[in-house]
Amino acid sequence: QVRLVESGGGWVQPGGSLSLSCEVSGSVFSTPTMGWYRQAPGKERELVAGISSGGGVNYMDSVKGRFTISRDNFNNMVSLQMDSLKPEDTAVYYCNAVLYIKPNSVPTHLWGQGTQVTVSS
């Protein structure tokens, strides 16, 4: 069964750094898009950053210049380096992937289990 396995996160003081990683576990044909979402208490889930298999990236405005998304296509992994963290970055972060399990299958949307990121002094 294909699933996304996240690691990283935790607690850091404002201005600090954390990194998140997510791996596609299981055999898939291709993974066109991977990304990270976050959800703070009482708020809707929002896209933080996305990256295509060709390397195209997009970021939400509030993290531009502070967060960097990258991916390892060979190992089907995506990472998020978070620098200059602010208290408002506190949220549960979710890995997301759009993938094709087989060549002619319909696209599958998967979510990771979520990992807590807390920024506070």
Side-chain angles (χ1 to χ4, degrees):
Q1 184 176 359
V2 179
R3 61 192 183 102
L4 302 181
V5 180
E6 299 179 18
S7 61
W11 173 84
V12 68
Q13 293 185 336
S17 299
L18 286 174
S19 63
L20 305 177
S21 293
C22 173
E23 178 181 10
V24 178
S25 177
S27 178
V28 301
F29 174 68
S30 70
T31 312
T33 304
M34 302 187 79
W36 293 93
Y37 286 71
R38 70 186 183 189
Q39 187 167 20
K43 295 187 177 181
E44 294 186 353
R45 192 173 296 189
E46 56 186 359
L47 174 65
V48 177
I51 185 167
S52 68
S53 57
V57 300
N58 62 287
Y59 296 95
M60 67 184 302
D61 287 344
S62 64
V63 307
K64 288 180 179 177
R66 301 188 297 121
F67 290 12
T68 304
I69 189 171
S70 60
R71 64 183 287 174
D72 177 346
N73 288 330
F74 182 80
N75 292 303
N76 242 346
M77 295 181 63
V78 64
S79 299
L80 185 68
Q81 177 65 36
M82 303 180 290
D83 299 319
S84 302
L85 281 159
K86 303 176 181 180
E88 51 263 44
D89 295 318
T90 295
V92 178
Y93 284 69
Y94 296 90
C95 178
N96 173 265
V98 177
L99 49 85
Y100 293 87
I101 295 178
K102 296 182 179 181
N104 295 318
S105 62
V106 297
T108 298
H109 298 253
L110 291 181
W111 291 95
Q113 76 275 19
T115 186
Q116 178 69 45
V117 170
T118 302
V119 185
S120 71
S121 53

